[in-house]
Amino acid sequence: MKIGIFISGTGTNMAAICRNFAEKKLVGVDEISFVLSDKRNAPGLEKAESFGIKTIVLPKKKDEPKEDYETRLLEAVQPFGTGLIVLAGFMKVLGHTFLSGYKGRIINIHPSLLPSFKGVDAQGQAFDYGVKVSGCTVHFVDETLDGGPIILQQPVLRHDDDTKETFKARILEQEHILLSKAITIVTTGKYSISGRQVLFSNKEEL
Ligand code: GRF
């Protein structure tokens, strides 16, 4: 399956996917067709280019209605014929217009154990709350904020001597592993969805 990746910032999750693909470890993926950023200066763009992947920059115009922006997004990516879009640190909440073009074919990485700590700075929210465990989640994207069916989660312990930065860094390390695992589950089609539950046909392979 061909995949496309959306980013907004540093793009370390995207780079981890590209590295796994280059090392032929990303089972089920035939091509990373593009990396799209909604931010012109996203450092991740250079990283994508270093892997030889086509980059697209598509910022939302000032005062542009969300529907119009999402129509432009669709027009930009549909010609690639990707079976999956991976949101890897993409900071916009996608709405009906875009989602209707990729129903059940968009996944997102979120740096908390959902449904706890949705939205921005999830690691900081968890740290300030005083949790002993947080982690990361890969889920299908629907029209709710960080709310679609969960594919995989990875817990990360908070240590007594953690700072926000060290806690965040250890979660990020796990994000890099978890996202590629989830991509393989989706691209190989070894899952089914029952209500909110994502079930795997071959647990041994995970
Ligand atoms: C990650 O923590 C991701 O979960 C969150 O934003 C961060 C992006 O990091 N949505 P990067 O751009 O992949 O380095």
Side-chain angles (χ1 to χ4, degrees):
M1 185 184 287
K2 297 201 278 182
I3 69 168
I5 306 174
F6 282 15
I7 62 166
S8 296
T10 42
T12 64
N13 274 290
M14 175 273 301
I17 301 168
C18 295
R19 204 171 309 118
N20 285 336
F21 180 73
E23 292 172 5
K24 306 202 182 314
K25 290 181 191 154
L26 204 56
V27 179
V29 176
D30 303 315
E31 179 184 291
I32 300 174
S33 304
F34 62 83
V35 168
L36 179 143
S37 171
D38 65 324
K39 297 273 182 292
R40 210 170 282 289
N41 299 322
L45 287 166
E46 245 176 59
K47 292 192 180 86
E49 278 156 17
S50 75
F51 283 98
I53 294 171
K54 180 177 174 51
T55 55
I56 303 168
V57 179
L58 203 72
K60 185 170 176 295
K61 293 177 198 154
K62 196 170 171 281
D63 299 328
E64 182 180 22
K66 186 173 170 135
E67 293 71 27
D68 294 3
Y69 175 63
E70 292 193 2
T71 301
R72 289 202 294 125
L73 265 185
L74 274 179
E75 285 168 0
V77 302
Q78 269 173 338
F80 291 93
T82 51
L84 179 70
I85 303 264
V86 180
L87 307 185
F90 184 66
M91 297 311 283
K92 282 202 165 46
V93 178
L94 293 168
H96 183 73
T97 307
F98 190 83
L99 296 182
S100 59
Y102 283 92
K103 221 173 172 8
R105 296 191 292 136
I106 308 175
I107 64 173
N108 179 47
I109 177 96
H110 184 76
S112 75
L113 294 178
L114 289 170
S116 293
F117 308 116
K118 295 180 176 182
V120 293
D121 191 25
Q123 310 95 320
Q125 291 182 52
F127 189 90
D128 290 343
Y129 198 85
V131 300
K132 301 294 185 192
V133 184
S134 189
C136 47
T137 303
V138 183
H139 62 92
F140 284 105
V141 174
D142 63 13
E143 288 184 41
T144 59
L145 175 68
D146 299 323
I150 290 169
I151 305 168
L152 289 175
Q153 293 189 298
Q154 178 62 46
V156 175
L157 294 181
R158 177 212 181 123
H159 301 157
D160 288 347
D161 60 355
D162 261 335
T163 61
K164 231 177 241 188
E165 286 63 41
T166 58
F167 192 43
K168 199 171 169 171
R170 288 210 321 288
I171 293 173
L172 188 62
E173 247 175 57
Q174 295 304 316
E175 291 181 46
H176 294 166
I177 300 167
L178 200 71
L179 188 51
S180 284
K181 276 192 188 171
I183 290 171
T184 286
I185 289 169
V186 177
T187 54
T188 54
K190 292 182 177 164
Y191 70 97
S192 59
I193 301 183
S194 165
R196 284 198 49 85
Q197 236 195 317
V198 179
L199 303 162
F200 306 124
S201 18
N202 196 345
K203 285 218 169 70
E204 286 73 51
E205 286 178 20
L206 294 180

